[in-house]
Amino acid sequence: MNNYKLLPALVSILQTLNLTESSKQLGVTQSAMSKILHQLREDFHDKIIVREANQFILTQKGEKLKEKLPALMQQLDNLYIPEVMEPSLCKRKFILASSDYVAQAILPTIISNIEVDAPNVSTEYKLWHKENLHKFAEQDIDLIATIADSIPDNLYGKMMAEDQLAVVFRNTHSKANSNMTINDYIEGRHILISGGGDKDSSVDRTLAMMNLNRHIYTTVPFFQAAIELLLKTDTMLTIPLHIAADFAQNYDLQIRRLPIDIKTQQYYLLWHAKHHQDPEHRWFRDICFLLIKAHLKRTIEHGMKLIHTYK
C-alpha cells in the first residue's frame, strides 16, 4: 500500500459494502469510487469485497482490514491533534543553561515551582558561554538565559529585560565616599569573572577604543567567589546592575554607575526551533521565562535605588 490517501475510502467501503453509499459519504462520483476500489485491490493484492447474489461480502483479507483499520486510522488522526501537557504525568528531564548567578539566585525558585505540579520532572543545569550560541543546535540544551544582541536564525526566544553595567566595591573601599571617575576606574584593581557569562567584555573593548585599559587584579570563575574576594580586598567588580543589587541586599557593598558609556545589555530566553511546538517544552520555558523576567525586573528596580551619587 503506497497511497495512504485512499485509506478513508477503504474504511467506508468496508463499513458500507456499497459503492453508491460510500461515494455519497466521500462526496465523489460512483465512477471515481469504482476506480478507487480497483486501485485498492491492486495495492492489497486482494479483491477485498466480492459480489454474492445482490450484495457484496468481504473477503478474508477484507475482514482483517475491517477489524484493524479503524483503530489504525484513529492513531493516525491522533497524530494531528495538538498534544496537551499534563505536568503530573511528565517524566522528562529539562536542561537549562545560564550563568552561575542564575543557578544560585533563580534556579531554586524555578525548581520549587516545577515540583508543585510536576514532581516527576527532573532538571539539569549547565554553565553557558556566549561563544556557543552559533552552535546551539549541536548541544543537548532545552533553554538558555543569556545576553544577546538579537535572536539568532533557527532559534526562538523572548527578551526578558535590559540592564546596565555597574561598579561594585566594599563599604570600606578607598572610593566609598566619592563618585567614580574614569581615572578612578582605570587606576582601580579589578576582579574579572571568567565563568559562564563574559558579562563585561564590552568594557575592555570600549576602553581600548579610548586607548585606555584597566588593571585586572584577579580572575575567578564564579560570582559568589568574586563577591567574597571583593569583601576582603580593595578591589572593584563590574557586573550587571541587577546582580549587584541582589548581592547588595546581603553584603555591605556600594554600587556606582560605570564611568564610561556602554549600551545596555539585553537578556533573552532562547530555544531551538525543533522545540518550539513541543507542549512539554512550552510548559517548561513559560515557567522559566516568567520567573527569570520577574527576578530581573525586581532586582533592576532595586538596583536603580541603590546607585549612589555624591554631589
Side-chain angles (χ1 to χ4, degrees):
M1 178 72 186
N2 54 21
N3 191 345
Y4 297 103
K5 293 181 180 179
L6 299 183
L7 289 179
L10 176 57
V11 171
S12 178
I13 292 170
L14 294 172
Q15 290 174 343
T16 65
L17 296 178
N18 187 306
L19 294 187
T20 301
E21 185 62 32
S22 289
S23 64
K24 291 180 181 178
Q25 286 185 0
L26 298 175
V28 299
T29 65
Q30 190 166 346
S31 173
M33 202 69 205
S34 295
K35 291 179 180 179
I36 290 173
L37 177 58
H38 177 74
Q39 183 63 54
L40 287 167
R41 283 170 167 169
E42 286 192 353
D43 289 340
F44 283 100
H45 307 289
D46 190 89
K47 291 287 188 180
I48 300 175
I49 58 173
V50 293
R51 183 177 294 277
E52 184 176 278
N54 294 324
Q55 62 181 1
F56 282 103
I57 62 171
L58 295 175
T59 64
Q60 186 175 4
K61 179 72 171 181
E63 292 284 0
K64 289 182 179 179
L65 287 171
K66 184 178 181 180
E67 177 185 353
K68 296 180 179 180
L69 195 55
L72 292 175
M73 291 295 291
Q74 185 61 56
Q75 290 178 26
L76 288 172
D77 288 342
N78 289 343
L79 294 177
Y80 291 91
I81 299 174
E83 295 179 46
V84 177
M85 166 60 177
E86 182 53 60
S88 63
L89 300 178
C90 184
K91 297 182 179 180
R92 183 164 166 179
K93 179 176 79 171
F94 293 100
I95 300 176
L96 172 65
S98 191
S99 68
D100 66 289
Y101 171 75
V102 172
Q104 176 181 330
I106 309 174
L107 183 63
T109 302
I110 291 173
I111 292 178
S112 64
N113 273 260
I114 288 174
E115 184 184 35
V116 173
D117 296 322
N120 297 313
V121 164
S122 60
T123 55
E124 180 179 347
Y125 194 91
K126 294 183 177 181
L127 279 181
W128 177 251
H129 297 270
K130 282 200 304 182
E131 59 268 22
N132 291 333
L133 191 58
H134 70 282
K135 51 183 178 181
F136 185 23
E138 304 167 18
Q139 303 177 67
D140 186 21
I141 294 175
D142 287 290
L143 282 176
I144 52 172
T146 185
I147 295 169
D149 295 324
S150 61
I151 301 174
D153 291 340
N154 208 35
L155 297 185
Y156 283 85
K158 294 181 180 179
M159 192 176 78
M160 297 179 287
E162 286 187 309
D163 195 16
Q164 60 185 292
L165 289 172
V167 186
V168 188
F169 44 76
R170 63 182 179 177
N171 275 333
T172 56
H173 192 278
S174 58
K175 299 298 179 182
N177 297 312
S178 62
N179 285 323
M180 174 70 61
T181 67
I182 183 67
N183 286 334
D184 294 332
Y185 191 76
I186 294 302
E187 294 170 2
R189 297 188 299 172
H190 293 263
I191 299 172
L192 191 66
I193 300 172
S194 61
D198 189 30
K199 287 184 169 54
D200 54 3
S201 60
S202 56
V203 169
D204 294 303
R205 288 196 298 269
T206 302
L207 289 174
M209 293 172 63
M210 301 167 65
N211 293 319
L212 298 172
N213 61 77
R214 57 179 175 159
H215 172 49
I216 305 301
Y217 179 65
T218 188
T219 300
V220 294
F222 306 123
F223 281 95
Q224 187 64 50
I227 295 298
E228 297 294 340
L229 185 57
L230 197 69
L231 293 168
K232 293 179 172 61
T233 59
D234 208 35
T235 52
M236 59 184 67
L237 180 63
T238 304
I239 54 177
L241 178 60
H242 73 276
I243 299 178
D246 197 23
F247 279 118
Q249 294 180 94
N250 300 310
Y251 301 97
D252 292 328
L253 299 173
Q254 291 197 21
I255 304 175
R256 298 285 191 279
R257 292 188 184 277
L258 190 66
I260 55 177
D261 186 21
I262 292 181
K263 69 175 184 177
T264 58
Q265 296 177 326
Q266 297 179 328
Y267 289 83
Y268 283 88
L269 191 68
L270 301 173
W271 58 93
H272 194 271
K274 65 184 179 182
H275 296 305
H276 189 61
Q277 301 294 342
D278 182 343
E280 292 182 343
H281 191 278
R282 186 185 305 114
W283 170 83
F284 176 67
R285 69 183 182 244
D286 285 349
I287 290 176
C288 292
F289 177 78
L290 291 174
L291 293 175
I292 298 174
K293 182 178 181 179
H295 178 90
L296 287 167
K297 183 177 185 295
R298 182 176 66 254
T299 51
I300 289 171
E301 290 176 352
H302 184 57
M304 293 301 296
K305 298 175 183 177
L306 295 180
I307 292 180
H308 202 108
T309 302
Y310 284 87
K311 297 181 180 179

